[in-house]
Amino acid sequence: MPNPQLSRSNRTTGGSGSGGNGGGKKPPTTAKKKTSPKKKKRITGKRVFWTLFFTAAFAVFCALGGYLFITVSGEKILAENKDKIEIKAPTVIYDRTGVQIGEIKIQRGEEVESQDIPELLQDAFVATEDKRFFEHSGVDLRSIGRAAVRDIIARSAVEGGSTITQQLAKNIFLSADKTFFRKATEVSIALALERQYSKPEILAMYLNRISFGGQYYGIKAASERYFGKSDLNKLELWEMATLAAMPKAPTRYNPIANPDKSKERRAVVLQLMYEQGYITEAEKDKAAAVDYTYTPPETKETHYQAFIDYVLQEAEDTTALTEDDLNRGGYKIYTTMDAKAQQSLEEAFKDDAMFEQSPDDQPVQASMTITNNQNGSIVAILGARNYHKGDFNRAVNSRRQPGSAFKPIASYAPALENGFTVDTPLSNEQQSFGTYSPKNLHGYSQSVSMKEALAESINIPAVWLLNQIGVETGFQFAESLGIPLTENDHNLAIALGGLKTGTNTLEMAQAYNSFANGGNFVEAYAIKSIRDSNEIEIYSRIEKKKSVMSDQTAYEMTQMMQSVVTDGTGKKADIGRPLAGKTGTTQSGIEGNSGNRDVWFVGYTPEWTGAVWMGYDKPNSEHMLKNSSGLAASMFARIMKQAMEGMPVNDFKAPDAPAQETVETPEPQQPETVEPAASPSGLVASYDVGSQTIMLSWQPVSGENIRYRLYRQESSEAQPSMLTDGLMTASTSDTGALAGLTYSYAVTAYRAGEEPIVESAASNTVTLTVPAEDNPEEDLPDDTVPPDETEDDPGTDQGEVPVTPPATDDGGTNGNSGNNGNGNSGNSGNENGNGNAGGTETTDPGTTTPPSEGDSGGEENVVPGTVVPEAPADQSQPDPTTDPAADPNAQTTDPGTVEGTTGTQDGTTTQP
C-alpha cells in the first residue's frame, strides 16, 4: 500500500515541481499539502456547524450584554427624567399660504398624591389598561408575547403590549417610534420604577402624567376640565369610568367633543370593572345609562380653534401619531385653511341676528363646511356657535336628516346615470309604493319633467324615479359620494332624505363637491403635509380622485340646481355670482307641532362648495325652528359672499361636446301671441286667532289648467314678493304672518303647460293687520312620531320621519311658511307646511294649503281683512313670459320634510 501512495505522490509532485524537488522526504510532505483540500471537504459540515454555533452564541451574548447594559442604565435614565416631561417644541399649525395660525401647548394639572386618589378610580384604570398590574413586576410577558405575534402577522409594530408601568416609562422617556431600542429602554425604566416605587405610587405617577384629550395632562386637570371637580373624591362612578375610557384615544373618547363615543367606551370600562369584581351589575348599569351634560367654563377665545381641532383629529386618523405625540413632538402641520373664509364663518356664527331666538338657554345651533371643488381640501369648518377648544363639532360628529337636500344625491343624479334625461316625463300621480305613500303639497298631475320636479321639489317624482332605477342603485350612488348609509336605509324614503342616522355638513359638502368638479369624488381633507422637529416630511397628502358620474350628468345637475337659487327655494342664498344648490327641511315629527327640526342649504360656485345646517341639539316640542331653509340659505349667503369677495367671477363650464355637422339655420319664426288668463277678482282675507292663520280666497278664473300665484308685502317692505306658486284652487292660507304686522296680498293667474306662458294682471289687493295681543305660539300640525323619538342626544336625530298622521276631514291646514314676516317666504326657500288631502305635509317657502282642502273654514274667531281695489306694483310680478310648466325656475317650492320610513302609509309629505 505505501508504494502506490508514494507513487501517486510522486506523480503529483513531479507534475508540479520540475525543478529538482524530488528526493528525500520532500515528496510525502508535498503530497500531504496537495490532498488537504479533499480532507477539508469531508469535514466541512462539522466546521460549518461549529462556526454557526459559536457565531450565534456570540451574537446572543452580545445582544444579552447590550440589553443588560440598557436595563442597568434604566436607573440612570429614570433619575434624570422622573421629575420632568420632555417637550421638544410646540407643534405649529399653518394655513394654506404658510402663515402660522396656532400652536399646541400642553396644560398639566397639579399632581395628586396616591392617598388622595379614590381606590375605585384606581380600579377603573387598572381594569381597563392593565388588569395584571398588581401581579407583574413592570413587564407582562404574556402581553408582550401576544403583541409580538400580532406584530409579526401585521408585519409592523402595531401593538405595544405595554403595562401601566411601561406606559409611564414611555411618558418619561418620550419616544414615539416602535423600535427594539426604544422598547428595551422602556422596559429598563419600567423595571427601575418597580424597584424604587410601590404599585400605588407608580399608579399615581401614571395618572399625573397621561394625556386626557386636547392639551390636558394629569387626572386632576382632567377632572376639573370635564366635570368641574378638583377633589377627586367627589367623582361619581360614571365619571371615573369616563376618565378611564380616555387613555386609549383621548380625542375620540373626549366626552365634550364626542359624547356618544365617550358613552360607548365608558360602557366598556364599566363592563371590565364588573367582570373583574370591582363593581356590581346594578352599579354598572346605572353608571352606563348616565348622559354627559356638563358644560365646562369657556376657555380663552382664539381664532381658528375649530379648524385646529379638526386638523389634530385628522392627523391622528391619517398618521401613526398620537395626540400625545402631536402635543409634545414639535411638528409643523401645513393645512388647507383659507383664513378669510374661516374668519367670515366665525363672525357670522357669533351674530345672534342670524339665528332664531330660543325660548330658554338651549340655543339654536349650526355647522358649516366649505371645500375647494378642485381637490376637496377643506377651506373652512365650524361646528358650533361660540366654539372653544375641544367643543362638540357638529360639522363632523353630528348626524341629522338632510330632507330634500338629499334628492339630487339619491334620486336625480343616479337616474341621469341610468338612462333618464332632464326631459324624461316622470310620474306625478297620487300613488303608493307598497306600504309607502308619499304626498305632494300642491296636487298631482299625470307627469312632469325631471327639471320641473327638482325645481319645484315635488315628492312623488323623486320617489317614483328611485323606484324605477331601484333602491339599491340610489343607495350605492349615495355611498359613492361619501355618505355612510346603513342596511336600514334600503328603502324609498331616502329619495326624500329619510336616513336612519342622517348626515352632516362635512359629508354633504363633500358629496355636492362631486357635482361641482365634473363628477369626480374627492375625500375632504385639511392637512397638506407634516414635518417633524428635524424638518423631515413624515406625511404628504396624495390626491385621489374617483369618477362617480359622467361630466354630463354633473353639468345637468348643476344647471337644474342653479334654478333653485335664481328662481326657487334658495333665493336667499344668492351671492351675486354663479351658484347652484338645494335647500332641505325636516319636520318636527311630533304630534301637534308644526316646527322644523333641521334646515339645510348646500350650494356651490365653480370654485367652492358650502353646506349649512341649523337646528337644536335636543329638539322637542319646545325647541323647534319656526323658520325653514331660508334661514340656512341666508347664513350661506352671508358667509360665502364675504369669504369670496375679491375672487374672480367664473361660470360653470359645460363638458366638451362632440363635434357636430354644420346644419342650415332655419329662419326664425315669430312666436305666437298668447293671451293671458283673466285676472282673479274678489280677493278677501281674514285672520283666525285660534290657529294664527290668515285665510284668503278669491273668485276662480275660468279655463283649463289654471294656476295661481299669491303675492305678499309686509308694510315695511319696498315691494311684494311671491309667497305661493302653482295653486290649483282659489283659496289658500298664510301661517307665517307675525303678530302686530300689517300685510297686503294679491293674486295672479296663468295657464300651466302653455309656451310661452303669460301671467295675468293682479287681482285687487287686500290688507290685514295681525292682532298683537292675540298671537300665541303657532298651532302644531297632526304629525306623530313614536314617543321614544321625540328627543335626541346632541348631534343625532332619530325622529325626523313622522309616521302616519290621523286621517281627518278638516285637519292639517296649518302651513308653516316660516318667513318670519319678511315677505319673502315664497322666494327665499322657507319650507315647512302641512295640510291638504288630510295628510301631514311639508310646504315650501311660504306655501300654504288651500282652505278648500282642509282650511279652518267655519271658525268663529276671525279678524276680517280690508279689501283694496288697486293692484300691486308691477315690479312685484315675475316675468310674464315664464312658464312654470316648462321652466322650473317659475316655481318656488321648498325642499322639504323627511318622508316617512319604510312602512309608513298615508303619510308625510316632503316639499322643498
Side-chain angles (χ1 to χ4, degrees), residues 396-451:
V396 181
N397 298 319
S398 173
R399 308 210 68 80
R400 304 298 285 249
Q401 303 259 6
S404 289
F406 209 66
K407 288 177 179 177
I409 295 172
S411 186
Y412 292 108
L416 290 177
E417 284 290 287
N418 286 273
F420 285 82
T421 70
V422 293
D423 298 316
T424 300
L426 310 180
S427 175
N428 192 33
E429 297 178 312
Q430 186 171 8
Q431 57 194 288
S432 294
F433 304 87
T435 58
Y436 183 47
S437 303
K439 303 290 183 181
N440 283 349
L441 178 64
H442 295 301
Y444 307 89
S445 62
Q446 184 175 0
S447 66
V448 293
S449 69
M450 185 186 298
K451 185 176 182 181

Side-chain angles (χ1 to χ4, degrees), residues 116-126 203 207 219 232 235 239-241 243-244 273:
D116 296 326
I117 302 175
E119 184 176 350
L120 191 58
L121 178 59
Q122 299 181 45
D123 295 339
F125 280 87
V126 170
L203 187 55
L207 293 175
I219 189 67
L232 300 182
L235 290 172
E239 295 170 325
M240 296 178 183
L243 294 174
M273 294 180 71

Side-chain angles (χ1 to χ4, degrees), residues 63-64 66-67 70 157 177-187:
L64 290 175
Y67 201 83
I70 294 175
D177 61 316
K178 292 185 176 182
T179 63
F180 177 83
F181 180 79
R182 199 276 303 171
K183 196 68 178 178
T185 307
E186 178 185 295
V187 169

